[in-house]
Amino acid sequence: MCRFRLASILLASFIFLGISPILSLAQTAQSRAESARLMNELMSGKGDVGGPFTLSDQFGKSRSLSEFKGKIVLIYFGYMFCPDVCPTDLANVARLLKLLGKDSNQVQAIFITLDPARDTQDLIGKYTNHFDSRILGLRGAETLTKEIATKYKTFYEKVNVRGNQYLIDHTAFVYIMNRQGKYLAFFPPGTSAERMEVMVRDALLTK
């Protein structure tokens, strides 16, 4: 593939996935290849998406995907210092839970931080509660976070902005898991609560 075509595809991908093209200039060739590979696997349906995990909640309690068997699970990877994409998507998830009414008790929304160093146990619960107390905030060691994110075809990396401050370049999807914990589909960044409601209600019809 010619360099110009590859650059064009990557730029379009960054915009679609919620990654800043300016920050992405800081990516290495290796990280660009990795983000393109994960995106291609997700979009093409090649390879498995998702899988079991166990992380800690804001109380330090271990929480596993398997404990939500029987529910539709929505999984979002992000971080608390995210300036725009994460707050927008989490606000849409919170609105979705309200739109679902009593059916929301059959849905579990999960926020997994990509920045466990700053998104501490004390803070992550306060962050998710800001949007909706029904959104579960989870965190784990950096190596475990990377392992889980890769299973879900989520790309991320730190980008230094000044001194020891940094942002995180990351893809931004809401993943839908069925009642058995298997991957169904994803919502791209900025998907409205109303659009998500249509697909979630359809998923709820399957027992």
Side-chain angles (χ1 to χ4, degrees):
M1 181 184 292
C2 71
R3 290 183 178 179
F4 177 76
R5 187 181 177 196
L6 176 59
S8 299
I9 291 174
L10 287 174
L11 179 60
S13 302
F14 290 141
I15 295 172
F16 178 71
L17 301 181
I19 300 177
S20 164
I22 296 175
L23 291 178
S24 296
L25 293 175
Q27 290 182 319
T28 64
Q30 181 179 0
S31 65
R32 285 196 300 270
E34 175 69 1
S35 62
R37 180 185 69 80
L38 292 173
M39 182 197 67
N40 180 62
E41 290 178 359
L42 181 64
M43 300 296 179
S44 66
K46 295 178 180 177
D48 295 331
V49 178
F53 59 78
T54 299
L55 294 164
S56 299
D57 65 14
Q58 64 264 41
F59 305 108
K61 179 182 177 182
S62 293
R63 309 298 295 268
S64 300
L65 178 63
S66 59
E67 74 180 86
F68 303 112
K69 187 175 181 179
K71 291 188 175 185
I72 299 302
V73 178
L74 305 176
I75 300 174
Y76 187 80
F77 293 85
Y79 70 114
M80 288 172 50
F81 289 84
C82 182
D84 42 32
V85 177
C86 297
T88 298
D89 288 337
L90 288 173
N92 286 336
V93 170
R95 174 163 168 72
L96 165 65
L97 295 175
K98 291 179 173 63
L99 290 175
L100 289 171
K102 61 182 178 60
D103 290 331
S104 65
N105 61 14
Q106 300 181 63
V107 176
Q108 179 60 59
I110 296 175
F111 168 78
I112 298 177
T113 180
L114 297 172
D115 190 14
R118 293 187 298 186
D119 296 356
T120 64
Q121 178 180 316
D122 292 337
L123 293 176
I124 195 168
K126 295 177 182 177
Y127 181 71
T128 54
N129 284 343
H130 171 75
F131 298 98
D132 193 294
S133 61
R134 291 169 290 185
I135 300 175
L136 180 64
L138 299 179
R139 63 186 300 277
E142 295 212 13
T143 52
L144 180 58
T145 300
K146 183 67 174 179
E147 177 186 326
I148 295 169
T150 301
K151 285 183 180 179
Y152 284 79
K153 312 305 179 186
T154 292
F155 170 81
Y156 70 101
E157 71 173 350
K158 291 181 181 179
V159 178
N160 292 321
V161 288
R162 67 179 71 85
N164 61 354
Q165 297 181 10
Y166 61 87
L167 296 174
I168 293 182
D169 230 354
H170 69 99
T171 52
F173 294 122
V174 177
Y175 298 90
I176 313 172
M177 314 301 286
N178 68 17
R179 294 181 186 272
Q180 286 72 48
K182 302 298 184 182
Y183 169 76
L184 280 179
F186 69 87
F187 295 117
T191 301
S192 70
E194 289 77 11
R195 176 68 190 98
M196 287 193 282
E197 182 188 11
V198 173
M199 192 171 232
V200 169
R201 286 196 181 281
D202 184 60
L204 286 170
L205 294 176
T206 304
K207 299 298 183 180

